Amino acid sequence: MPPYDPSAFPPFAVTVDLVVLTVRRHALCTLVVRRGEAPYKGRWALPGGFVREDEDLGGAAARELVEETGLCAHDPAAPPPVPSNGAHLEQLATYGAPDRDPRMRVVSVAHLALAPDLPAPRAGGDANSARWAPVEELLGEELLAGTVDAPAAVRGADGDASGGAGGEEKEGGPVALAFDHARILADGVERARSKIEYSSLATAFCPPEFTVGELRRVYEAVWGVALDPRNFHRKVTGTPGFLVPAGGTTTRQGGRPAQLFRAGGATLLNPPMLRPEV
Amino acid sequence: MPPYDPSAFPPFAVTVDLVVLTVRRHALCTLVVRRGEAPYKGRWALPGGFVREDEDLGGAAARELVEETGLCAHDPAAPPPVPSNGAHLEQLATYGAPDRDPRMRVVSVAHLALAPDLPAPRAGGDANSARWAPVEELLGEELLAGTVDAPAAVRGADGDASGGAGGEEKEGGPVALAFDHARILADGVERARSKIEYSSLATAFCPPEFTVGELRRVYEAVWGVALDPRNFHRKVTGTPGFLVPAGGTTTRQGGRPAQLFRAGGATLLNPPMLRPEV
DNA sequence: GCAAAAGTGTTCCCTTTACACCCATGT
DNA sequence: ACATGGGTGTAAAGGGAACACTTTTGC
């Protein structure tokens, strides 16, 4: 191993990118911001920014999350600074292909955040430069692709980088995310989909007090399947420590009043919730 | 987001560190190298090195793996350059606390490699500066600690960094790994332990052809439990695509000749192998 | 009354588990 | 013969899937 002579290793810029997921109107959505500069000017991108000189990676992600959404995440690795607001934040993966940013060598440590339904994003005061986009809109069939090859949209984006094609995009059509953010988003969605199987993470999508039906609709939105309400109810209420009754009831979903619950202390779900085939 | 002016962001050094796991004599072992320089001079550390200017993160990890072990990893993300030798390589997590290296700001992208039992490590030709160490020796009860707080050994290592305490270590006693490598190793071991539950990853610890009993002993070594040989046999041979008969038999374990198998194409094990409680 | 959502009970079936038992080799 | 590990059979217990049915609200 060479000594740490500054000329002995190449300097990198290190950033954090955020996959912030939430469930809105029965659909899994992610926060995207519109780029104001080249490359990929005018394209949607995941929020993110540079890691500061004296900042931990998780701290940088938590800071970006607050800046973009006002959410205070509950990061178990960094308890002192941030008051928990119920949101979940964890490291996802790191992306560092040499050509992922045409300007320079950037390594991005992507983080995954799960948040309850929020009113509206605010990106530095500019309202219409940030939005909650359904992931299905951003990732067509790419989600089904394995980790073997880069998704087609990313390869295409590389081709016309900073060109005219990415000028202004209309809502409704399929949008291609900037950089390799489609890959990052797909990885984040897959992480969330698999992790709610065996953990209590799905409660991070819910408000502090929620009903069993609301929790079930989270699973249905994230997995894109329909679950049997009766078996689901038995499963989650029968797992000790998973849900604790909050005391009240609500009829905000219509029908018979439903008991309100809070997330219990149990973080692992054993045996896991089974995701139906196809 | 500020423009990519080199003065607008702090420069980082980016390294890859490797958690190379193997099973030797019924024990889960990892590859460690002895540090020849301060800080932590004389202490054991995970192998690793700088990411080069034009190199992918996975490529850097594969290069380090070859340099340290001669293994050619099968990285599904980078098929063209490296011929597969059966070893498994995947990204683990990224560690970037500001003070994790006292000399400068270093972000390390840790990777996890699983390898079959190898004859002996060679670290740049220096034989006794690298060894396979049982993970139980390197991590006492820390494995049971959650991700909440840093393990005690790491905090202690920070205290007497580059001091006299780490001069020469005898074999047999508990050793404290350099930097935050105890945390990285613990995370890697936990990843391996959980991932063999629901994937065919345990076959990466075996030679190309292996018996059901040998595969079972891998599970037993990684999990540290005893499994019922009969039920294990039924489970793995009954899962379609998991194992394919190689045609021959062997008596290298003694007793009745056992059928030889290869790893099948099935990469996911469903339903998963259940890890016994405690 | 009727629709809608919340819960409960019950049956069937598949998997896991535990263990009795037999098989094929080395010494 | 006997120890050792490989492999099959079988019965009991547990959990998931499917679904009939009751409960409690709003309209």
Side-chain angles (χ1 to χ4, degrees):
Chain A
M1 191 189 288
Y4 279 54
D5 170 12
S7 65
F9 59 88
F12 288 73
V14 176
T15 63
V16 290
D17 285 327
L18 287 181
V19 177
V20 189
L21 297 180
T22 194
V23 174
R24 289 169 72 89
R25 287 182 265 108
H26 280 223
L28 185 64
C29 296
T30 193
L31 182 64
V32 287
V33 298
R34 199 186 284 278
R35 284 186 57 78
E37 304 153 13
Y40 303 101
K41 179 171 181 174
R43 296 275 266 275
W44 295 104
L46 300 176
F50 291 107
V51 178
R52 294 180 182 163
E53 184 69 43
D54 57 352
E55 197 176 38
D56 193 1
L57 299 175
R63 173 177 56 77
E64 292 286 342
L65 185 62
V66 173
E67 291 176 7
E68 303 284 350
T69 68
L71 271 177
C72 291
H74 172 64
D75 182 0
V82 285
S84 169
N85 198 3
H88 172 90
L89 180 62
E90 67 176 48
Q91 193 186 109
L92 176 60
T94 299
Y95 301 81
D99 58 350
R100 66 182 293 275
D101 189 312
R103 291 162 295 181
M104 61 173 304
R105 192 69 200 269
V106 179
V107 165
S108 176
V109 184
H111 284 69
L112 174 67
L114 308 185
D117 196 355
L118 297 175
R122 48 151 220 205
D126 190 353
N128 64 0
S129 71
R131 66 185 264 253
W132 292 105
V135 299
E136 199 182 350
E137 236 173 66
L138 301 173
L139 309 167
E141 299 305 312
E142 297 168 28
L143 277 179
L144 300 178
T147 64
V148 175
D149 47 6
V154 171
R155 283 198 294 268
D158 275 340
D160 57 2
S162 74
E168 284 292 313
E169 307 237 5
K170 282 292 163 221
E171 304 220 355
V175 294
L177 288 176
F179 303 109
D180 52 0
H181 288 186
R183 168 88 272 140
I184 298 176
L185 174 59
D187 291 346
V189 169
E190 180 49 38
R191 170 82 65 92
R193 283 186 172 163
S194 71
K195 210 157 179 180
I196 64 174
E197 285 187 47
Y198 57 89
S199 77
S200 63
L201 219 60
T203 59
F205 285 114
C206 296
E209 298 194 351
F210 53 90
T211 70
V212 173
E214 288 163 352
L215 183 63
R216 174 173 48 82
R217 279 179 276 276
V218 164
Y219 276 91
E220 291 178 332
V222 175
W223 284 344
V225 298
L227 300 176
D228 186 302
R230 292 93 62 156
N231 292 334
F232 183 88
H233 186 279
R234 229 194 317 271
K235 174 81 178 174
V236 295
T237 58
T239 302
F242 187 52
L243 297 182
V244 294
T249 62
T250 182
T251 61
R252 61 188 174 217
Q253 301 289 344
R256 166 177 169 180
Q259 261 191 288
L260 284 170
F261 292 90
R262 293 179 199 281
T267 162
L268 247 50
L269 195 49
N270 201 297
M273 182 91 56
L274 294 183
R275 176 163 25 167
E277 307 284 326
V278 181
Chain B
M1 192 189 286
Y4 279 55
D5 170 12
S7 64
F9 60 87
F12 288 72
V14 176
T15 63
V16 290
D17 285 327
L18 287 181
V19 177
V20 189
L21 297 179
T22 193
V23 174
R24 288 170 71 88
R25 287 181 265 110
H26 279 223
L28 184 64
C29 295
T30 193
L31 182 65
V32 286
V33 299
R34 199 186 284 276
R35 284 186 58 78
E37 304 154 13
Y40 303 100
K41 179 169 181 174
R43 296 274 266 275
W44 294 103
L46 299 176
F50 291 106
V51 177
R52 294 180 182 163
E53 183 70 42
D54 57 350
E55 195 177 40
D56 194 1
L57 298 176
R63 173 177 55 77
E64 292 286 341
L65 186 62
V66 173
E67 291 177 6
E68 303 284 351
T69 67
L71 272 177
C72 290
H74 172 63
D75 182 0
V82 285
S84 172
N85 197 4
H88 172 88
L89 180 62
E90 67 177 47
Q91 194 186 109
L92 177 59
T94 300
Y95 301 82
D99 59 349
R100 66 182 293 275
D101 189 312
R103 292 162 297 182
M104 61 173 304
R105 192 69 200 266
V106 179
V107 164
S108 175
V109 184
H111 284 68
L112 174 66
L114 308 185
D117 197 356
L118 298 175
R122 48 150 220 205
D126 189 353
N128 64 1
S129 71
R131 65 184 266 253
W132 292 105
V135 298
E136 199 181 350
E137 238 174 65
L138 302 174
L139 308 167
E141 300 303 314
E142 297 170 29
L143 277 180
L144 301 177
T147 65
V148 176
D149 46 6
V154 171
R155 282 198 296 269
D158 276 340
D160 58 4
S162 74
E168 283 290 315
E169 308 238 6
K170 284 290 163 223
E171 305 221 353
V175 294
L177 287 176
F179 303 109
D180 52 0
H181 288 186
R183 167 89 272 139
I184 299 176
L185 174 59
D187 291 346
V189 169
E190 179 48 38
R191 170 82 64 93
R193 284 187 172 164
S194 70
K195 212 159 178 180
I196 64 173
E197 286 187 47
Y198 57 89
S199 77
S200 62
L201 219 59
T203 58
F205 285 113
C206 297
E209 298 193 351
F210 53 90
T211 70
V212 173
E214 288 163 352
L215 182 62
R216 175 173 49 81
R217 279 179 276 275
V218 164
Y219 276 90
E220 292 177 332
V222 175
W223 283 345
V225 297
L227 300 176
D228 186 302
R230 291 92 61 151
N231 292 334
F232 182 88
H233 186 279
R234 229 193 315 270
K235 174 79 179 176
V236 295
T237 57
T239 302
F242 187 52
L243 297 182
V244 295
T249 62
T250 181
T251 61
R252 60 187 173 216
Q253 301 289 344
R256 165 177 168 179
Q259 261 191 288
L260 285 169
F261 292 90
R262 293 179 199 280
T267 162
L268 248 49
L269 194 49
N270 201 298
M273 182 92 56
L274 294 183
R275 174 163 26 166
E277 307 283 327
V278 180

